[in-house]
Amino acid sequence: MKKNIVVLISDQMQKRAVLDDKRCIMPNLRRLQEDSVTMENAHAVNAICSPSRASLISGLLPHNHGMVDCTHTVPAYRADFSNKIKTMPEALKDEGYHLAYYGKWHIERTYDLSRYGFEDYETEKTIKSSKLTSLGKVQVKTDGYKDYTLCGVYKEGEEASEEHFIYSKAIDFIDKVKDDERPFCVFASTYAPHDPYFAPNEIFSLYDENDFPLPSDWNDHVCKLPDIYSRLHSVWRDLSESDLRKAIMCYYACCTLVDKQVGKLVSYLKEKGIYDDTLIVFLSDHGDMCGSHGLFCKGVPAYEEVYNIPLVMKFPENRYAGVKETAYVDTCDIMPTIFESCGINWLANRIDGSSFIPYLTGSKNRHDSFTVSEFLGQRYSYTQRIVWHKGIKYVFNAFSVDELYDLNKDPLEKENLVDDSEYADVKHEICKLLWDRVVKTDDWSFRDAQYCMHRILPSGPNLGSVGKGFALYNKTM
């Protein structure tokens, strides 16, 4: 008998805040962890919404599925989800699953989810905004730009929130199909805690300003880093300390708002006797700086606050309950893990991810694990590749100086070691892993960057041959 699947997606939720920082009130997610596997070193494949979400349902890296930037930020010729890919929901439909999706989609441009097999759905295109009464907000002012609202508190309770609506829709759908012989798969995808961090006062009031000093690295001088990092730091420089604290508290309150909805859904599954037979995945598409390194939101700064995401998976019958796995995995690995756990042997296209169950069974060595993320856009077309392996993190910045951090000794990424001679061999070794992933995932544009003006990585791919396009336009004797 096939297992039910519930996928809970939060937007811009930082793993360190919700799972590691005890100040963040997340009792329901932490209870779910007791029955689940927590992937401690899960990383988003990309720092922004659409590329990461498209990787979730395709198992492909952005360079292969095509949505390399957000749907609303660039024209289709710069980023478009390939219609040749068969996705996770389509595979589940073929397996006989009831399918529903509620909440933020932001994966492709049609917003016609029926083409992916969903029989019921409501997305940001159709969900009506609630009329909320503001009790105060924080705005960022920049010369010549429209004022930007970073956070705020509203009078109404959590029942007025979009998050409550989304999870209620998911529960209603499950209630309708739970007694059918066919299994179900439901996605509940919240906007929270994405900025602007709007929180109901009843939840915001649970937090005490005295518990939230400014992050220790708020005023760190940005040295030996890309210039864009310091330029972005300047966006927030005129905010008062009180406003900064409020923003962090609002972010945490939004995380708590999501947690309350998770608690309601889990309680419902238990009440109806279907919790044990249901696979539950909780994740975020990417994280948020939330004040660290003097920054908020997400984008080109490739810090752990943005890339290290919460990934909690409760397997059917609570297999691997309470395990905290340290292998490096990424967004692309979620789909094949779901399929393996639920006995689904379907993969219509070659994918870039792989199931992480072998790490849990011990058949695969976690010490050999590594992962690579890629950043290809955000309007100004920054190009990055980020590699993690054995606590070392390398960031290739095509537009500026590279970064290298020893997270074993420096988890807050305060010291860029890219020019440290003691790490020269490490840098070259991790570059080999990058090229390995580039070749295996057919990142051909990056792989074939053999032209003299592109030779800017610490070491090249050492390939015996290059693509036909390079050979055609770069003559040799």
Side-chain angles (χ1 to χ4, degrees):
M1 181 178 176
K2 294 186 176 72
K3 304 300 183 182
N4 301 315
I5 302 168
V6 174
V7 182
L8 309 176
I9 308 170
S10 60
D11 196 335
Q12 212 159 298
M13 187 175 280
Q14 182 196 122
K15 184 253 183 182
R16 286 179 177 175
V18 297
L19 296 184
D20 301 340
D21 189 345
K22 299 306 180 187
R23 296 176 301 175
C24 195
I25 303 169
M26 304 289 288
N28 297 296
L29 184 57
R30 290 181 180 130
R31 273 196 294 270
L32 183 63
Q33 281 185 280
E34 295 173 4
D35 294 337
S36 309
V37 173
T38 301
M39 302 305 292
E40 296 285 354
N41 286 315
H43 288 87
V45 295
N46 193 281
I48 54 179
C49 303
S50 298
S52 185
R53 288 165 177 266
S55 291
L56 172 66
I57 70 163
S58 69
L60 295 170
L61 287 164
H63 73 262
N64 278 326
H65 61 58
M67 187 52 73
V68 298
D69 208 320
C70 284
T71 60
H72 67 288
T73 60
V74 294
Y77 77 85
R78 284 182 56 183
D80 206 17
F81 190 61
S82 172
N83 59 14
K84 297 178 181 179
I85 297 167
K86 197 162 185 179
T87 61
M88 174 167 62
E90 291 173 276
L92 293 174
K93 182 184 179 183
D94 289 348
E95 293 286 327
Y97 275 76
H98 287 291
L99 285 166
Y101 194 106
Y102 304 107
K104 184 175 179 179
W105 175 242
H106 208 192
I107 291 175
E108 47 81 63
R109 297 171 184 274
T110 70
Y111 285 86
D112 177 11
L113 276 63
S114 64
R115 67 190 293 181
Y116 298 100
F118 291 105
E119 58 200 75
D120 194 40
Y121 61 90
E122 240 187 294
T123 72
E124 62 268 35
K125 287 285 188 179
T126 57
I127 295 174
K128 294 180 180 179
S129 299
S130 300
K131 292 184 178 180
L132 303 173
T133 307
S134 174
L135 297 178
K137 55 189 177 182
V138 173
Q139 291 191 308
V140 178
K141 298 181 183 295
T142 308
D143 185 38
Y145 290 86
K146 181 181 177 181
D147 289 351
Y148 180 75
T149 301
L150 176 60
C151 68
V153 178
Y154 56 85
K155 179 181 178 180
E156 290 73 16
E158 66 170 281
E159 291 79 10
S161 69
E162 185 178 287
E163 287 64 40
H164 175 81
F165 173 82
I166 289 165
Y167 272 71
S168 296
K169 292 285 288 186
I171 291 171
D172 289 346
F173 182 82
I174 295 171
D175 203 53
K176 184 174 69 174
V177 302
K178 69 181 188 307
D179 297 323
D180 196 308
E181 291 182 358
R182 294 165 56 195
F184 62 79
C185 176
V186 178
F187 291 74
S189 175
T190 64
Y191 188 85
H194 192 292
D195 60 289
Y197 320 133
F198 289 144
N201 188 54
E202 64 184 18
I203 296 179
F204 178 79
S205 298
L206 298 174
Y207 289 92
D208 185 343
E209 182 176 322
N210 294 321
D211 293 333
F212 288 87
L214 291 186
S216 60
D217 54 6
W218 174 258
N219 289 310
D220 276 5
H221 294 290
V222 182
C223 57
K224 292 176 63 176
L225 293 173
D227 177 65
I228 186 62
Y229 289 20
S230 60
R231 293 170 71 182
L232 289 171
H233 190 287
S234 69
V235 172
W236 316 103
R237 64 188 173 194
D238 293 332
L239 291 178
S240 67
E241 183 170 333
S242 175
D243 284 345
L244 295 170
R245 287 172 183 248
K246 185 173 183 178
I248 297 170
M249 291 169 63
C250 282
Y251 179 84
Y252 276 49
C254 287
C255 293
T256 302
L257 173 62
V258 173
D259 182 77
K260 284 179 172 287
Q261 313 317 310
V262 172
K264 291 173 185 176
L265 188 145
V266 168
S267 294
Y268 167 83
L269 295 175
K270 289 180 177 179
E271 177 189 326
K272 299 301 179 182
I274 52 179
Y275 176 77
D276 288 344
D277 281 337
T278 300
L279 184 148
I280 302 174
V281 186
F282 181 91
L283 73 143
S284 185
D285 52 1
H286 52 77
D288 186 294
M289 290 306 300
C290 197
S292 295
H293 297 278
L295 300 167
F296 282 94
C297 306
K298 81 290 181 186
V300 66
Y303 291 116
E304 289 299 277
E305 287 82 359
V306 168
Y307 278 94
N308 189 198
I309 57 171
L311 176 53
V312 176
M313 187 174 289
K314 187 204 81 69
F315 288 90
E317 291 82 44
N318 298 355
R319 297 194 303 273
Y320 317 114
V323 170
K324 293 190 175 182
E325 175 56 54
T326 58
Y328 290 97
V329 300
D330 63 43
T331 315
C332 292
D333 299 324
I334 296 172
M335 183 181 84
T337 303
I338 291 173
F339 284 179
E340 181 175 351
S341 175
C342 294
I344 298 170
N345 298 314
W346 176 95
L347 284 176
N349 16 280
R350 177 195 63 80
I351 64 170
D352 299 323
S354 59
S355 170
F356 52 73
I357 290 177
Y359 292 120
L360 306 177
T361 62
S363 60
K364 198 171 181 180
N365 189 347
R366 65 179 59 89
H367 300 293
D368 295 332
S369 67
F370 72 97
T371 195
V372 177
S373 296
E374 53 188 47
F375 196 68
L376 301 155
Q378 210 180 30
R379 298 185 190 265
Y380 298 143
S381 297
Y382 305 104
T383 295
Q384 293 171 305
R385 296 294 187 277
I386 307 101
V387 191
W388 294 264
H389 179 56
K390 294 182 179 179
I392 301 296
K393 175 181 178 180
Y394 168 64
V395 184
F396 166 67
N397 294 312
F399 51 88
S400 188
V401 63
D402 291 347
E403 300 163 71
L404 186 75
Y405 302 102
D406 187 341
L407 300 178
N408 302 300
K409 299 176 181 178
D410 178 28
L412 298 183
E413 299 168 283
K414 288 175 174 275
E415 185 178 7
N416 183 7
L417 301 169
V418 73
D419 294 324
D420 191 320
S421 59
E422 291 186 13
Y423 284 82
D425 291 342
V426 173
K427 182 170 61 176
H428 281 273
E429 286 301 313
I430 208 164
C431 244
K432 289 179 182 178
L433 297 177
L434 170 58
W435 286 115
D436 178 70
R437 183 61 58 88
V438 164
V439 171
K440 286 183 177 178
T441 64
D442 195 29
D443 190 356
W444 64 267
S445 178
F446 199 93
R447 179 197 65 211
D448 290 352
Q450 302 277 342
Y451 188 59
C452 55
M453 297 299 284
H454 300 150
R455 300 183 174 205
I456 56 176
L457 275 84
S459 59
N462 290 313
L463 298 176
S465 61
V466 293
K468 292 180 180 179
F470 180 89
L472 179 63
Y473 293 104
N474 292 270
K475 304 295 185 181
T476 58
M477 294 182 66

